[in-house]
Amino acid sequence: MLEVGKISKKFGGVAALQEVSFAVPQGAIWGLAGANGAGKTTLLRVLSGAEECDSGFVRWNGRDLLDDTRQLRRRVALMPDSLPDAGDITVAEYLDFYRRAFCRDADAVRRAAEVCGILPEWEKKFFPELSRGMKQRVSLARMLIAEPEVFLLDEPGEGLDPRGRSELRDILHRLAGEGHTVLVSSHILAELQEFVSGVVILDAGRVVEGGRLDELLPRYEVRTLEGLYLHLTAEEGAR
């Protein structure tokens, strides 16, 4: 289980995250929902070790990861919303760089490529030649090479066509089926609801609700994640 406890982060005098707490079960795909500026990207960066928090903890199966940066980076991988655009290396060179960085065997790239549906003819392509969907697959393969247990994805569906989003969902469900925990950030709530079993809703850096969708929707008497978000954030704004 991924446990996040009372994570707070300020930039100057502005509170980006305020005592954010939630837990995601192992082998589940959960969404991180909220408007632009709600704190989603900052939270994902803290969870991956790319950004330090001011206070709080991140635990994986009871082990505190923020106290052990090496373990954090081994167990948690982040795919940011900006995808690689290296014009001078091929897909094969890019993936092999990460294989060597994590001291994996030569078969690690092949396994990652197979899971992410990367075709052999892509290997000699340079990044500017790839569509956004192809870049998404390469980025996921890069994460897989490190053999993490937790996958963090920041707005992965942005700019994908319907086929690309469907293929992304299939890959994430396969990862979850293999026991990986997946946390996906998005402000497109209808899309997020299509493949997550739980959600954490952020508003102005605070968690306003979190849990399984099949429990939250009936509790608040709404049918959609968007309806849940609007209901909860309207309540927050009225306080």
Side-chain angles (χ1 to χ4, degrees), residues 106-184:
D107 210 33
V109 172
R110 183 197 61 77
R111 291 195 301 269
E114 188 273 328
V115 170
C116 296
I118 295 176
L119 303 176
E121 54 265 32
W122 295 9
E123 294 180 358
K124 295 182 180 180
K125 287 182 177 290
F126 292 91
F127 273 85
E129 301 177 71
L130 304 179
S131 68
R132 184 172 179 86
M134 293 164 74
K135 287 181 180 179
Q136 293 279 29
R137 290 171 181 261
V138 174
S139 292
L140 282 169
R142 181 264 301 171
M143 295 167 73
L144 270 171
I145 289 170
E147 299 180 358
E149 294 172 275
V150 180
F151 286 78
L152 310 174
L153 294 89
D154 193 4
E155 303 285 355
E158 191 78 24
L160 293 183
D161 60 23
R163 180 179 295 278
R165 290 196 295 270
S166 176
E167 291 170 346
L168 175 65
R169 287 196 300 271
D170 291 344
I171 294 170
L172 296 184
H173 279 295
R174 176 170 178 173
L175 293 175
E178 294 174 353
H180 299 284
T181 296
V182 182
L183 184 61
V184 183

